[in-house]
Amino acid sequence: MDGVALLTIFILSIFVGFEVVSKVSTVLHTPLMSGANAIHGIVLIGGITVTGAATHPLEITLGVIATLLGAINLVGGFVVTDRMLEMFKPKKSVARSDDGGGA
Amino acid sequence: MTPTWVQLANLLAAVLFIFALKGLSSPKSARNGNLLGAAGALLATAVLFVSGIPLANILLILAAVLVGSAIGWISARRVQMTQMPQLVALFNGVGGGAAALVAVIEYLEVGGANKISLAATVFTVVIGSVSFSGSIITFLKLQELMTSRPVTIPAGKWVTMLVAALTVVGAVWLVISPQVWLLVALLLLSLIFGMLFVLPVGGADVPIVISLLNAFTGLSVAASGYVLGNVLLIIAGTLVGASGTLLTKEMAKAMGRPITSTLFGAFNGTTAGNTSTGGDRPVRSGGPNDVAIMLGFANKVILVPGYGLAVAQAQGTLRELADLLTARGVEVDYAIHPVAGRMPGHMNVLLAEASVPYEQLKEMDEINPEFASTDVVLVVGANDVVNPAARTDKSAPIYGMPILNVDQAQQVVFLKRSMRPGFAGIENEILYDQKTMLLFGDAKDSLNKVVSSLKNL
């Protein structure tokens, strides 16, 4: 895809990003931040892509590290966000629920 | 060339990410929104493996994905809810580090023939590294492995500006004349800048910085998507960059702090909590027994938990106190200020974890009319969110921030460590009021003493 098309996607995404979070309750600021944090963990597929094309040992090593870090960000991000949101369930008495569920 | 169906799957993943952010903006849909985002991420990753695009080193890749996922999953499930902010900071940091590494590898593989692509590579390396080292520092601060107070180094302002200038010069130079050693030097400079950038930020402002670094990582991921020609990375990274920027602004606003003073305050010596107190005006302090008696014989008590409660991890003890009072027939409510805790919304999570009944948690607008008919308000480790200066003092940094109207209650009890002002660094007139009693000490310690006194009443 050419540069201008990618730039178009970039600019439009900025507007979507602003739009979707424009009215968010302060109570949800922390989970929203954490959820957004998980989403940029998708850099994992960048890590996989470059490692898959790497030939030099140094590149492979760095690629494996990048993939590892990306996976931590992605999986950990979604799971910790889910745990936070688990606490927001409106019910009569919030039972302690440490396990079960998950992303 | 990427097959069309893979591109379509990535488009679907991008749409799921948008739904995720949209869903996270409302309490009802938040959890499902997050799951949609996770589904999108899973889809995009799975599709990459079966797309038919040749992947060398496939075993190493699979191992890295599995080990990383396990580390992420386990640490996210095991973390104490009070320590959740620093884990988010850490996840954010490793994401930034991953983006920077991706850009470095891409540079090593293809070199710098295409200048626009090279500029995006350099951007990714710089911003990703800043986010990485900055997030690590915020993690260390929140984990209290280092001081959470602002750290100022001699001539810090000038050193930081010098490093920033060198980073910019290095980045431009690298685009003009691509050399590996320069890339390494730029990487190191960016890491140093990330540290210098976060070190002067004080404890209570750290959440705002995490949010900002989150936006940074998003942008670096978007730039790495440009380098790799991957549309999904561009969309996802940009979404996070844009929403993260807006969220940072909102968080700063909710805390009554202009974003610039959060970030640059320490350089100018005006950062939160550094201002000294007004001196030795008389206050009324009491012992745990006095507090227990006041609470035990009240009809209606409102508890105001704050930052100090989270720091002392005293939410369980506070609930014990509330249960005791309820058993004595006292009407007990919790007043939750929107920015109470270490991050906005954090207090709700902490109290929910301590099994505080949901219906006792009252939001600011709901509880404010109730203070006038309340006998005793117990403020635990909160200060700025109950400071009437926000209503009256136009020169106060928190002026205009909505507060809990604690001053309208019959009596107010503050559990405080010391007379040090809150993070906004301003005096709280309620502390000197006749109807106010102060109980000094660690919040958990004080609460424990009050609980045991109450049991003996």
Side-chain angles (χ1 to χ4, degrees), chain B residues 302-323:
Chain B
I302 294 180
L303 306 172
V304 180
Y307 179 63
L309 180 91
V311 174
Q313 304 216 0
Q315 60 273 28
T317 322
L318 186 66
R319 203 207 86 208
E320 201 185 337
L321 178 70
D323 289 349

Side-chain angles (χ1 to χ4, degrees), chain B residues 189-239:
Chain B
L189 276 172
S190 311
L191 289 174
I192 295 170
F193 178 72
M195 287 184 225
L196 291 172
F197 176 65
V198 176
L199 276 173
V201 177
D205 288 338
V206 170
I208 299 176
V209 171
I210 300 179
S211 179
L212 186 69
L213 292 175
N214 187 36
F216 277 16
T217 306
L219 289 178
S220 68
V221 169
S224 77
Y226 187 90
V227 175
L228 298 175
N230 186 313
V231 176
L232 179 59
L233 289 190
I234 296 181
I235 297 176
T238 311
L239 283 176

Side-chain angles (χ1 to χ4, degrees), chain B residues 88-411:
Chain B
V88 174
L90 201 59
F91 287 155
N92 180 52
V94 298
L101 284 177
V102 166
V104 169
I105 299 161
E106 189 64 11
Y107 176 85
L108 294 176
E109 279 176 12
V110 300
N114 181 337
K115 291 296 176 196
I116 298 176
S117 181
L118 180 60
T121 305
V122 171
F123 179 87
T124 311
V125 170
V126 171
I127 301 297
S129 306
V130 167
S131 184
F132 176 75
S133 63
S135 298
I136 299 298
I137 298 289
T138 55
F139 169 78
L140 294 176
K141 279 180 181 244
L142 288 170
Q143 190 69 26
E144 283 167 23
L145 293 172
M146 63 177 285
T147 173
S148 59
R149 303 290 307 276
V151 176
T152 42
I153 52 175
K157 190 178 178 178
W158 303 110
V159 174
T160 309
M161 280 166 70
L162 179 69
V163 173
L166 282 175
T167 309
V168 172
V169 170
V172 174
W173 187 9
L174 182 58
V175 174
I176 295 168
S177 140
Q179 293 159 81
V180 173
W181 72 267
L182 197 53
L183 183 73
V184 175
L186 191 63
L187 189 73
L188 293 175
L189 276 172
S190 311
L191 289 174
I192 295 170
F193 178 72
M195 287 184 225
L196 291 172
F197 176 65
V198 176
L199 276 173
V201 177
D205 288 338
V206 170
I208 299 176
V209 171
I210 300 179
S211 179
L212 186 69
L213 292 175
N214 187 36
F216 277 16
T217 306
L219 289 178
S220 68
V221 169
S224 77
Y226 187 90
V227 175
L228 298 175
N230 186 313
V231 176
L232 179 59
L233 289 190
I234 296 181
I235 297 176
T238 311
L239 283 176
V240 176
S243 62
T245 306
L246 194 65
L247 186 60
T248 309
K249 231 180 94 210
E250 289 289 312
M251 280 170 78
K253 202 171 82 188
M255 292 189 170
R257 313 261 299 140
I259 185 78
T260 45
S261 75
T262 301
L263 298 179
F264 306 111
F267 294 141
N268 307 323
T270 55
T271 285
N274 263 356
T275 329
S276 62
T277 49
D280 38 12
R281 289 163 64 188
V283 292
R284 192 163 69 104
S285 67
N289 253 323
D290 307 317
V291 176
I293 290 168
M294 279 169 72
L295 294 172
F297 293 98
N299 287 318
K300 186 171 171 183
V301 170
I302 294 180
L303 306 172
V304 180
Y307 179 63
L309 180 91
V311 174
Q313 304 216 0
Q315 60 273 28
T317 322
L318 186 66
R319 203 207 86 208
E320 201 185 337
L321 178 70
D323 289 349
L324 272 175
L325 290 173
T326 312
R328 290 178 63 93
V330 181
E331 188 189 338
V332 182
D333 282 313
Y334 296 79
I336 312 293
H337 191 274
V339 301
R342 284 199 149 173
M343 290 191 194
H346 192 197
M347 191 53 65
N348 303 62
V349 175
L350 291 177
L351 291 176
E353 203 210 10
S355 306
V356 170
Y358 190 82
E359 68 268 25
Q360 284 187 0
L361 300 183
K362 299 276 171 70
E363 305 239 346
M364 183 168 61
D365 294 338
E366 193 185 344
I367 198 84
N368 260 344
E370 309 250 332
F371 281 108
S373 61
T374 300
D375 301 308
V376 185
V377 173
L378 180 68
V379 184
V380 187
N383 193 352
D384 294 325
V385 297
V386 299
N387 192 338
R391 285 198 301 255
T392 54
D393 182 1
K394 284 198 172 149
S395 68
I398 58 167
Y399 180 73
M401 179 173 83
I403 59 158
L404 294 165
N405 299 328
V406 165
D407 52 340
Q408 292 170 1
Q410 301 297 313
Q411 286 186 296

